[in-house]
Amino acid sequence: MAEDNAVLLPEGASPSFSQFNGDDHQFPVLISVPHAGRDYPPAIRDNLAVPAASLIRLEDRYADRLVTGAIAAGYTTMVAREPRAWIDLNRGHRELDPDMLTGVARHQLPEPSRKVRGGLGLVPRRLNGTGELWRRKWVWDEVCQRVDHSHAPYHRLVERTLDKMREKFGGAILLDVHSMPPLTDGDQGDVDIVIGDRFGRSSGSRYSEIAMGYCNQAGLRGQLNHPYAGGYILERHGQPDQGIHALQLEVDRRCYLDGALLEPGEGLPAMIDHVTRIANLLANQSFGQVHLIAAE
C-alpha cells in the first residue's frame, strides 16, 4: 500500500480507472485489469482492523504491468486504480454482506452467495487467516456512491467499447487479466496460467483453445476453467451469440513477481511478452473471421 506503488496511467486518467488507446480501436480486443488498483482511499486506512499490508492479499499484485506490452502495441486497455478492498469490479453491484453494512435492511439485498458468505463480495469483509477487515460497518449510502463513481462507469465503458469494436470489426473479444496465488495441480506440477470462459458460456470455444494452444507451445503450464472459470465481468459482458466473447486470464504470481510475491521480478518481461502474444493471436483470429464473412 505504499504511495509510490501507484498504477501507471495515462495523462487525464479518471480517479477510479483509466483507459489506454481508447480513441482509436486498432484491434477487436479489449483488455481489462480490474484487480490491480493500488490507490487506497483514506477511508480504508481509517477503518482498518488489520495491518494495512494484509490488504495486499486482495490485490492482483502488479497485474497492470503484465499488459504494458499490449498497451504499447496499441491495444485498448482498461486499468482499475482503486483497490479491490474498496470495490470489487468483478462482483455484481448488489453482491454485499448485509451484516457489514448500516443503513440498509437485510431484505433489501439478495441472499448472499457463497463468495459473499466467504467474505469476498462487492466490498470484501474478511480474509481467511486474517479475519474481519473493518473496525466499523460501512454506510450503505457511501457504498452506493462507490458503485455510482467506480463500478457503474467501468462497466458502462466496457460495454460501450465492446459495442464499438463489434461495429468496426464484426466481433469483439474481452480479455480480463488477473493474477493468482501459486497453484499446483497434484502430480502435474505448477500451473502458470488458467484460462476461463465460464465453461463455454462467455466465449466461443476456439478462443480459449487458441489461448491454451499458445500456452502449450510456449512451454507454459495451462489449465482451462479450473479452478478459475471467470466471474461477474465475463458473466456480464460475454455474449458469444452476439459476437462478443470474454476470456479470463489468470497468471501465477511466481511467473512475474519476486520470491516474496511483492515486487516485480525477473520473469516480468517474459510474461509481458506472453500476454501480448495471446492478445495478438486472439486479434488475428477475429480479423480472419471478419475477412471471411466479408468475402462471402
Side-chain angles (χ1 to χ4, degrees):
M1 292 177 61
E3 296 293 343
D4 59 353
N5 283 341
V7 175
L8 300 176
L9 296 166
E11 185 178 356
S14 74
S16 60
F17 65 88
S18 185
Q19 186 182 54
F20 297 82
N21 303 319
D23 295 333
D24 180 24
H25 307 308
Q26 300 181 41
F27 307 99
V29 175
L30 169 62
I31 297 174
S32 166
V33 189
H35 283 166
R38 298 185 292 279
D39 292 353
Y40 283 80
I44 281 185
R45 302 175 187 272
D46 293 343
N47 198 22
L48 270 177
V50 298
S54 301
L55 297 185
I56 290 177
R57 287 179 53 196
L58 285 168
E59 295 178 12
D60 284 353
R61 188 71 170 166
Y62 289 112
D64 52 304
R65 305 293 174 87
L66 295 172
V67 302
T68 53
I71 292 171
Y75 282 89
T76 302
T77 304
M78 293 177 58
V79 177
R81 295 183 64 180
E82 294 174 336
R84 185 181 181 186
W86 182 247
I87 190 164
D88 190 338
L89 299 174
N90 202 26
R91 296 286 185 269
H93 71 282
R94 291 173 60 79
E95 289 189 71
L96 285 157
D97 185 340
D99 290 336
M100 66 179 293
L101 301 169
T102 182
V104 62
R106 179 176 292 273
H107 71 269
Q108 293 178 262
L109 292 170
E111 186 68 22
S113 66
R114 177 179 58 83
K115 289 181 179 178
V116 173
R117 292 195 302 271
L120 296 178
L122 178 73
V123 178
R125 176 179 177 177
R126 71 176 72 88
L127 283 171
N128 288 336
T130 299
E132 297 287 331
L133 299 176
W134 315 114
R135 293 189 293 114
R136 302 180 305 274
K137 293 185 176 184
W138 292 107
V139 178
W140 168 244
D141 287 345
E142 294 176 354
V143 172
C144 290
Q145 289 175 12
R146 297 185 206 179
V147 172
D148 293 341
H149 177 262
S150 305
H151 189 278
Y154 191 90
H155 287 283
R156 281 199 300 266
L157 186 55
V158 168
E159 289 173 349
R160 190 158 60 242
T161 303
L162 290 171
D163 285 342
K164 288 180 178 179
M165 288 179 172
R166 178 176 56 184
E167 182 178 349
K168 181 175 182 178
F169 299 107
I173 302 169
L174 174 63
L175 184 61
D176 198 42
V177 177
H178 298 253
S179 71
M180 62 185 181
L183 177 63
T184 300
D185 182 23
D187 295 335
Q188 299 300 315
D190 296 339
V191 177
D192 300 313
I193 287 179
V194 176
I195 305 295
D197 65 4
R198 295 187 63 81
F199 300 96
R201 294 193 298 274
S202 68
S203 172
S205 61
R206 64 193 178 108
Y207 295 105
S208 53
E209 290 169 1
I210 287 168
M212 286 294 296
Y214 174 80
C215 291
N216 295 332
Q217 180 183 9
L220 298 169
R221 166 80 173 145
Q223 289 193 163
L224 180 63
N225 288 319
H226 178 72
Y228 305 109
Y232 174 78
I233 289 176
L234 265 60
E235 179 183 10
R236 174 166 175 171
H237 299 290
Q239 304 174 62
D241 58 335
Q242 301 296 318
I244 295 178
H245 305 267
L247 294 176
Q248 180 173 279
L249 181 67
E250 291 270 6
V251 179
D252 189 322
R253 291 171 196 148
R254 289 174 297 189
C255 293
Y256 70 95
L257 295 180
D258 61 11
L261 303 182
L262 291 176
E263 299 298 327
E266 294 180 356
L268 179 60
M271 193 53 63
I272 289 172
D273 186 60
H274 289 315
V275 173
T276 306
R277 289 177 181 272
I278 289 172
N280 287 341
L281 287 170
L282 294 172
N284 289 338
Q285 177 70 14
S286 187
F287 272 124
Q289 179 188 23
V290 172
H291 290 164
L292 286 173
I293 292 174
E296 292 172 355

